[in-house]
Amino acid sequence: MNEIRLTCPPRLDKESGSELFKRLRHEKVTEGQTLVLDFSETEFLDSLGGARLIEISDHLRRWGGQMRLENEHGDVAEFLKVITPALSVTSSIQPKEVEVLEKIGGTAITVGEEIWQFIDLCIDAIYWTVLGPLEGKGFRWGMLLDEMHEMGVRAIGIVCMMNFLLGLIIAMLSAKQVENYGVQILVADAMMIGFARELAAVMTAVVVAARTGAAIAAELATMKVQEEIDALRGMGLNVAQFLVAPKLLSMVLMLPCLWVLGLITSLSGGFVWGVFVLKFNFSVWYTETLNAAHFQDLLQGFLKTIAFAIAIALIGCHNGLRVTGGSRGVGLMTTRAVVMDIFVMICIDIVFATIFYYILG
Amino acid sequence: MNTKDNHTIIEVRDLVTHYGETQILDHVSLAVPRGTVYVIIGGSGCGKTTLLKHMCGLLKPSSGQILYQGEDIVPMEEDDLAKMQRSIGIAFQTSGLLNSMTVGDNVALPLREYGNMDEPLIQAVVRMKLGLVGLADMAHLMPDELSGGMRKRAGLARAIALDPPLVYFDEPSAGLDPIMACGLDELILDLRRMLGITFVIVTHELDSIRKIADRILMLDRGTVIFDGTMEDVERTETERVRQFFERRPDEYIVQRTI
Ligand SMILES: Nc1ncnc2c1ncn2[C@@H]1O[C@H](COP(=O)(O)OP(=O)(O)O)[C@@H](O)[C@H]1O
Ligand SMILES: [Mg+2]
């Protein structure tokens, strides 16, 4: 027999639908069989009853069977019409099983693609920042001034405050450490060396990454989501030239300035502790600090700052331009930009430490 | 077929395109005659915007050709593509105005970049183009100070800033009240008559299609199911097209065997 006939109950709802499903499962469905559901007695059908019908049709399809409805009438027929599309679609809720190797391969491809995109952006951005203007291809100087104001001038307050406080804390902690040896004056040296090589650059860059890096990513991502980027490209404008280059140059110009301010304020933080708490003479502390300043340390901090600036600007732009989806994508990419900024900063730090201490000695 | 055919301004041949794994367009072909208003219709998500973005070179197809003035833009390098894009105007679904500058500066943007004009002339052109779309005195406002309809029109003004021979317009009247939508239709017809612009327009508004369309292309799930004039629409047998023009909802066609 190639047909199973079942009569639906007068009221088809959650419970009676479940009964119906059980009755079906007693019959063994085989390939090519058709289930005929007779609705002649059915006067009532609610949405959970309808959902049971969908379960039944999924079950049948799993065993290669089919379903046919008969004798539906009145409201029930109307309702059945509405759920017909759902009956004929295979349930797609079961997650696809992904093989481990497939997953690893997929990730490798995505990462590779992203790195390639990033390199592409770097080349474009550097071309339009350095060579483009030299070849007279145009640079948005007006935009550069705006960006410098936004990235540099408006960040002075927070950068100085953070560095000052960090300077104060480091002086406080290290003074406590050397208290018993009576060499507290060496705190001034430690401050100078530590902040010139490392801390001022990192602190400043972290503040700027959180502030400007996030802003760059969010701005470009929003522009992308609102079709502004497409509009620019549609006018034949180059996004790297129009948007990325001014941000990159402005960052490379402003971050070193902020670093200088950060270095000065952090040393003042140490100075405040040394003079007002440790009661050192003003000029003693001052001379000690200056004596500890070495060109190589300052150079290292400065070069590191330049590398940080390039990283912050390009990572912000890269993540902003990669956004997909709506406002949620903007949020995700902004977060991602800041996390990547900080990670890359640490990597740059390691590279510099290796070069300056192990290669140059 | 003659590729240097002067009658056709842009032609698409066998365009196939994917977003990731998902195929969006399936062997779409079309040809837009010069000086016409060519309307693309179809349900939401069927790939109309995607088709437009390919036709202006913003996206690269998986296969197929796109001939603009007889030249294939698919294999073009960025520089040539940029040159080609300067000669077409695009008004986006969400207007695509840059929110960081005033409406006037938005319209002036392509002029400043490519127009080779001095500033007073640019200002005059901006006022003229904004005047054409009825926004002459709004140049100093920021895009977010405009209403939706005004933004659409400002987007159109920017699209026609360089007097392009071809303008793409994505859903011009979506979200506009009937009076404003009607005004926009008039504007499109005026611009075609006065400036000889060819329009490729994506729209859903039946009234506006009846009024402006010289030729209609209908997409359904990424394939072309109709290409013809308004008279052809009246005669067509294709169920999906009739349904669209008669505004009938999808029927739950009762499949007796499921
Ligand atoms: N950037 C994208 N990434 C992935 N899928 C997309 C993207 N843009 C559009 N799509 C998908 O492509 C299909 C066609 O989109 P679209 O061309 O915008 O349709 P419409 O005809 O409504 O303009 C939709 O199913 C949409 O989900
Ligand atoms: Mg669209």
Side-chain angles (χ1 to χ4, degrees), chain B residues 22-39:
Chain B
T22 333
Q23 183 167 4
I24 306 293
L25 297 177
D26 183 13
H27 293 280
V28 169
S29 296
L30 61 94
V32 181
R34 215 174 270 278
T36 53
V37 175
Y38 194 94
V39 172

Side-chain angles (χ1 to χ4, degrees), chain A residues 227, chain B residues 43-50 52 93 170-171 202 204:
Chain A
E227 291 188 310
Chain B
S44 297
C46 69
K48 304 177 298 289
T49 303
T50 309
L52 274 195
Q93 196 163 351
D170 198 357
E171 305 210 11
V202 170
H204 295 297

Side-chain angles (χ1 to χ4, degrees), chain A residues 34 57 61 65-72 81-85 87-88 124 137 140 219 223 225-238 241-242, chain B residues 49 53 56-59 78-79 81-83 85-86 88 90 92-101 106 109-110 113-114 158 170 252-258:
Chain A
T34 305
S57 96
R61 201 171 299 113
Q66 291 178 322
M67 182 159 89
R68 195 167 79 225
L69 312 180
E70 260 180 19
N71 295 332
E72 65 272 36
K81 262 194 207 175
V82 176
I83 64 171
T84 303
L87 287 178
S88 51
D124 261 13
K137 287 211 179 151
R140 294 176 74 210
E219 182 186 343
M223 289 181 78
V225 168
Q226 295 183 345
E227 291 188 310
E228 290 180 40
I229 302 271
D230 277 338
L232 281 173
R233 289 175 50 213
M235 284 185 270
L237 290 169
N238 187 307
Q241 175 190 15
F242 200 84
Chain B
T49 303
K53 286 189 177 170
C56 48
L58 291 177
L59 297 174
E78 205 152 315
D79 284 353
L81 203 57
K83 221 171 277 160
Q85 282 162 340
R86 273 167 232 167
I88 57 180
I90 313 163
F92 283 88
Q93 196 163 351
T94 50
S95 92
L97 292 176
L98 301 191
N99 281 311
S100 52
M101 30 173 106
N106 261 290
L109 184 66
E113 295 294 327
Y114 308 122
R158 188 179 65 184
D170 198 357
Y252 305 104
I253 303 154
V254 188
Q255 293 152 307
R256 301 290 301 192
T257 303
I258 297 156

Side-chain angles (χ1 to χ4, degrees), chain A residues 162-175 191 269-270 273:
Chain A
M162 300 296 278
N163 274 294
F164 179 82
L165 291 177
L166 189 69
L168 203 62
I169 294 165
I170 298 283
M172 198 188 296
L173 294 179
S174 41
M191 292 288 298
W273 194 261

